[in-house]
Amino acid sequence: MQYSEKVMDHFMNPRNSGVIENPDGYGKVGSPSCGDVMEIFLKIEDDIIKDVKFRTFGCASAIATSSISTEMILEKNVSEALELTNKAVAEALDGLPPVKMHCSVLAEEAIKAAIEDYMSKK
Ligand SMILES: [Zn+2]
């Protein structure tokens, strides 16, 4: 399995890893095939994502995609963040091995779930 340098970098040094107490949005998704579990915590003010943290138990792809996707949605409007696709995330990582693409779907789904949670609480 060949991972890009960016994947290895985000896997070894994850950005925004951790939790947020009393988040405005929270999402948790799992991938049965890999056993990956991803949680996303959002702090949102006036529909802008002011802080984001993630907690992921899973493979290198799952951790790297969580890490880079938090960077991609930070300071973004929630509607922009909803448009983030797993393809964009994988591209930002200079690609993922094809058998690991499903792990990047997890990041997209977790972010969507967290934003939906925020919307439903508004
Ligand atoms: Zn995985």
Side-chain angles (χ1 to χ4, degrees):
M1 180 109 37
Q2 196 60 42
Y3 285 120
S4 73
E5 268 175 44
K6 269 200 185 159
V7 173
M8 287 312 292
D9 178 34
H10 278 269
F11 173 57
M12 303 298 273
N13 311 291
R15 327 300 199 256
N16 305 311
S17 120
V19 299
I20 295 173
E21 297 294 329
N22 305 312
D24 298 308
Y26 169 75
K28 181 177 182 180
V29 293
S31 153
S33 53
C34 249
D36 301 327
V37 179
M38 187 180 295
E39 289 174 284
I40 292 273
F41 306 82
L42 298 175
K43 204 84 201 151
I44 300 170
E45 274 169 43
D46 298 327
D47 284 353
I48 303 291
I49 297 169
K50 299 308 274 181
D51 196 13
V52 47
K53 292 264 187 289
F54 78 91
R55 188 161 60 178
T56 295
F57 302 95
C59 65
S61 294
I63 289 166
T65 50
S66 318
S67 169
I68 201 158
S69 58
T70 60
E71 285 193 322
M72 292 169 82
I73 63 166
L74 192 59
E75 298 292 334
K76 292 268 162 66
N77 187 285
V78 287
S79 56
E80 282 177 275
L82 275 176
E83 284 166 16
L84 184 76
T85 62
N86 73 303
K87 218 168 151 263
V89 172
E91 273 165 20
L93 285 168
D94 293 336
L96 282 170
V99 293
K100 287 289 175 188
M101 274 307 282
H102 68 271
C103 306
S104 65
V105 178
L106 221 54
E108 179 189 332
E109 286 178 349
I111 288 165
K112 287 201 168 119
I115 292 172
E116 273 160 24
D117 178 48
Y118 163 71
M119 305 275 205
S120 71
K121 284 197 251 180
K122 268 213 293 191

